Amino acid sequence: AKKNGGGQTVFFIEDLKEALTEKARLERDLRRALENDELFLHFQPQVSVTGGGITGFEALVRWKHPDYGVIPPNTFIPIAEETGLIISMGEEILRKACQQFTDWKDEGYRPGCLSVNISTVQFRHPQFMDMIKQTLATHSVAPSELILEMTESVVQEVEEAFPVLQQLHQLGVRVALDDFGKGYSSLNYLKSLPLDILKIDKSFIQAIHLGTREKAIIETVMNLGTKLEMQIIAEGVERPEQLEYLIQSPSLTYQGFYFSAPLPPEKVPTILTDPI
Ligand code: C2E
Ligand code: CA
Ligand code: CA
Ligand code: CA
């Protein structure tokens, strides 16, 4: 950016222009990514704290950009949400995940449950339920095998969220509350909404070593979830001490680098028992 007589103002406007062009470029690239099938999924196993048995997989999206290489979701999901591209992208992600699960089952594997992340923007879209039903109908994934992961921002609007969550519940699809405890959690919706699974945010798990206060919080959250008859998943388990601590609650499942990072789909069969 060059200066002229006016100085600062011109400079600022040019910076802003640059930022806008950068965003516009990413948006354009993202549209192209959908057309050219540049999105792909990794799958992270969810395991029981006691035996290490795999109960399911969470699908996590990645973008193979032709110039920049693999881009993580935190960089492009927000742009997809702002531009509305998340609607078609989210549908594509669910479709890909269901297709992969169908393939594994056709090959004789039993991958357990399939968890897919749903953005708040997707959840609020009027065709959301139709999209879910349609995708399930065209793949051999039963509603009971599907788990939709949503963050607290989805359920904040309790009145709006309730009917859709109720429909998912009636369909037999389970809903997991993701990153629980990360934001300013209100406990109100936990009692009033049909939520099946509580995913305890990794910041809690990673604070386990810190001491009794942190443990008291985790234990309270777990008790609460259990009393509300929700299944609990601990996120971000990286160290043996963390798992050792979590084993005190034998019904827990967990995800984390300690067992496995998210895997490319071709690696998944290597950690599942042989096909029947
Ligand atoms: P999330 O749903 O909370 O997913 C868990 C994230 O934690 C993943 O990052 C995963 O790779 C990472 N993780 C797993 N185990 C560990 C661990 O032991 N330690 C640490 N530090 N991290 C661990 P990823 O794949 O980069 O995804 C980041 C976020 O992007 C996700 O957070 C989710 O909010 C969003 N996201 C990912 N895939 C999708 C998608 O298909 N749709 C939507 N709407 N959002 C997605
Ligand atoms: Ca998630
Ligand atoms: Ca999470
Ligand atoms: Ca998240």
Side-chain angles (χ1 to χ4, degrees):
K2 58 179 185 294
K3 283 191 180 178
N4 66 8
Q8 287 287 315
T9 316
V10 174
F11 194 79
F12 175 72
I13 287 175
E14 289 204 352
D15 272 358
L16 191 66
K17 261 199 212 152
E18 233 169 72
L20 287 175
T21 330
E22 178 60 30
K23 229 190 90 182
R25 181 160 50 225
L26 265 176
E27 181 185 344
R28 187 203 56 203
D29 286 4
L30 213 44
R31 281 184 201 283
R32 192 210 47 213
L34 280 167
E35 282 161 22
N36 296 359
D37 204 23
E38 291 167 11
L39 298 178
F40 62 101
L41 300 178
H42 276 185
F43 291 86
Q44 187 175 39
Q46 302 176 323
V47 274
S48 140
V49 289
T50 48
I54 294 171
T55 57
F57 289 87
E58 177 179 2
L60 294 155
V61 69
R62 275 95 183 86
W63 174 14
K64 189 161 170 29
H65 192 287
D67 305 325
Y68 310 139
V70 176
I71 303 182
N74 284 333
T75 344
F76 64 87
I77 293 283
I79 298 169
E81 288 175 332
E82 269 176 60
T83 55
L85 275 173
I86 193 73
I87 301 301
S88 47
M89 183 183 288
E91 184 171 349
E92 177 68 6
I93 290 167
L94 184 68
R95 207 189 52 73
K96 273 185 153 54
C98 287
Q99 186 55 54
Q100 184 59 75
F101 244 62
T102 304
D103 290 348
W104 284 327
K105 292 203 290 185
D106 286 350
E107 289 158 24
Y109 293 103
R110 279 169 298 167
C113 293
L114 169 64
S115 293
V116 178
N117 291 284
I118 297 293
S119 143
T120 306
V121 179
Q122 268 182 288
F123 180 82
R124 295 193 180 143
H125 192 261
Q127 258 84 61
F128 174 71
M129 274 310 296
D130 290 341
M131 187 277 283
I132 299 292
K133 286 182 195 161
Q134 186 60 40
T135 311
L136 281 174
T138 49
H139 295 88
S140 32
V141 177
S144 61
E145 292 176 308
L146 183 64
I147 296 166
L148 301 180
E149 298 196 359
M150 308 178 192
T151 57
E152 281 163 296
S153 62
V154 162
V155 295
Q156 258 155 19
E157 313 286 331
V158 173
E159 267 94 274
E160 277 99 84
F162 186 83
V164 185
L165 292 171
Q166 192 67 30
Q167 285 181 63
L168 285 172
H169 186 75
Q170 276 155 7
L171 187 63
V173 170
R174 279 172 292 166
V175 173
L177 196 53
D178 208 349
D179 303 341
F180 185 74
K182 189 179 175 185
Y184 297 91
S185 309
S186 151
L187 299 178
N188 184 44
Y189 51 68
L190 279 188
K191 67 166 162 51
S192 35
L193 292 173
L195 301 166
D196 308 278
I197 299 163
L198 207 53
K199 293 192 81 172
I200 303 183
D201 190 61
K202 50 177 167 270
S203 57
F204 284 103
I205 308 308
Q206 280 155 15
I208 283 173
H209 67 284
L210 292 176
T212 44
R213 290 167 70 87
E214 284 72 19
K215 286 182 186 165
I217 294 174
I218 300 177
E219 278 160 27
T220 306
V221 171
M222 293 200 291
N223 283 338
L224 179 73
T226 309
K227 288 207 172 107
L228 293 170
E229 295 177 319
M230 296 172 83
Q231 189 205 321
I232 297 165
I233 301 181
E235 293 194 280
V237 177
E238 295 178 354
R239 311 174 55 80
E241 311 88 81
Q242 293 163 346
L243 181 59
E244 214 164 282
Y245 172 75
L246 295 170
I247 284 175
Q248 293 171 49
S249 312
S251 62
L252 272 187
T253 22
Y254 75 99
Q255 272 176 261
F257 297 158
Y258 180 68
F259 184 83
S260 169
L263 299 169
E266 62 274 16
K267 287 269 167 64
V268 167
T270 65
I271 61 164
L272 290 170
T273 45
D274 286 340
I276 4 134

